[in-house]
Amino acid sequence: MSTRTTPAHAADSAQLDLTRRPRRLRRTAAVRSLVRETRLSADMFLYPLFVTTGSGTRREVPSMPGVYQLSVDEAVKEAAAAKADGVPGVLLFGLPDAKDEAGSGAYDPDGPVHSATRALKREHPDILVVTDVCLCEYTSHGHCGVIVEGEVANDPTVELLVRTALSHAAAGADIVAPSDMMDGRVGRIRQALDQAGFSQVAIMSYAAKYCSAFYGPFREAAGSAPAFGDRRSHQMDPANVEEAMREVALDLDEGADIVLVKPALPYLDVIARVKTEFGVPTAAYHVSGEYAMLKAAARNGWIDEQRAVLETLTAIRRAGADIIITYYAREAARLLQRR
Ligand code: PBG
């Protein structure tokens, strides 16, 4: 004669005879954390910085709230602050005072990227310095190379990219990152670096860089929108993934140490295939437009920015990226500390 009453919830479990209950592993924060498959940490972030001339300059980019054009002294402070937040390195883009047809500011040893690299290596030798190797921020027409008969000419451009990469290595860059998508540039850069005694300088190649609408805010930040035409003759068609595999294979063959997919969130399938098919260090660039979308929605109160940022970066990591380049690097690093 039992007086025990049956708890109300027992009725449900009595109805379903389940042996598999996936929800067991989602009940508490502790168990969720125990079985979490993807972990995000600040040491996989690289933080892009836009470096300009002068001193004491911090000019916010209108379409990228929280991102600034920085003079060398300010860039050094920002990189050090990022390092203190746990972000190991920066990716430097240069904003020269003057531009010309041959983009000669790209390989001017006194350019903003070169000066910032030297200053960083002098003041904070432990901060990883990665430099963008491209001509678009330096050409008067905003194209990624020299123009011959109305087209971006591949081979003459490669020679200027080699000069640029060598000048960055001479300034002390740890890694050079060609983002131009010219054919054969990785091999020529590797050869030139080795011949000049920079065999320790690594190459992170933008192997699968798509011709994307999501670079818009960057072009405002870097003043690098093409004056005519577009970048379809060298950047990839967003519809293609087999071609990305061929691009990655070529760059690895030519000596790339790290391959990069760009943009990130719309190309998670590409990141996943690169990582599974090649098994090499793979970077993903969470680009300016991806940043701007999150910022804009958050500013309107339409999404929870902190959750959306961590979810986005976790998805990029889950797809297979080992390195994430993001304007959110500092903010995300601080969020991860609090978690
Ligand atoms: C070219 C370069 C671009 C970006 C990085 N390197 C612009 C372009 O291809 O037009 C875009 C990065 C971003 O949108 O955040 N030097």
Side-chain angles (χ1 to χ4, degrees), residues 51-228:
V51 190
T52 180
T53 54
S55 67
T57 305
R58 262 185 97 82
R59 209 178 300 122
E60 194 167 32
V61 179
S63 54
M64 300 177 74
V67 173
Y68 300 82
Q69 297 178 338
L70 304 165
S71 51
V72 170
D73 54 327
E74 291 291 328
V76 169
K77 281 188 218 160
E78 187 69 22
K83 174 81 179 164
D85 289 333
V87 179
V90 291
L91 171 60
L92 302 180
F93 293 95
L95 311 170
D97 277 340
K99 307 189 185 213
D100 59 29
E101 296 265 303
S104 57
Y107 37 93
D108 172 357
D110 294 319
V113 166
H114 307 77
S115 305
T117 301
R118 280 191 299 269
L120 278 166
K121 282 293 145 189
R122 190 172 56 237
E123 296 171 40
H124 305 281
D126 52 334
I127 294 179
L128 198 59
V129 177
V130 188
T131 57
D132 179 66
V133 176
C134 191
L135 300 183
C136 68
E137 296 111 71
Y138 306 93
T139 51
S140 42
H141 42 66
H143 279 288
C144 304
V146 283
I147 303 292
V148 179
E149 290 165 9
E151 290 191 19
V152 179
N154 194 86
D155 301 11
T157 298
V158 168
E159 294 316 306
L160 299 181
L161 295 168
V162 167
R163 278 178 75 169
T164 305
L166 280 174
S167 69
H168 292 173
D174 298 293
I175 302 177
V176 293
S179 66
D180 52 282
M181 290 296 279
M182 296 300 116
D183 294 332
R185 89 282 204 217
V186 173
R188 289 284 296 125
I189 289 172
R190 182 71 272 158
Q191 190 185 29
L193 287 173
D194 291 349
Q195 278 168 4
F198 297 120
S199 57
Q200 300 307 317
V201 174
I203 299 176
M204 175 168 78
S205 84
Y206 289 59
K209 176 173 178 177
Y210 287 88
C211 191
S212 173
F214 294 104
Y215 307 149
F218 173 95
R219 292 177 188 172
E220 179 179 54
S224 63
F228 59 90

Side-chain angles (χ1 to χ4, degrees), residues 4-16 21:
R4 252 186 15 210
T5 54
T6 310
H9 66 258
D12 308 327
S13 56
Q15 281 165 12
L16 285 173
R21 288 187 178 274

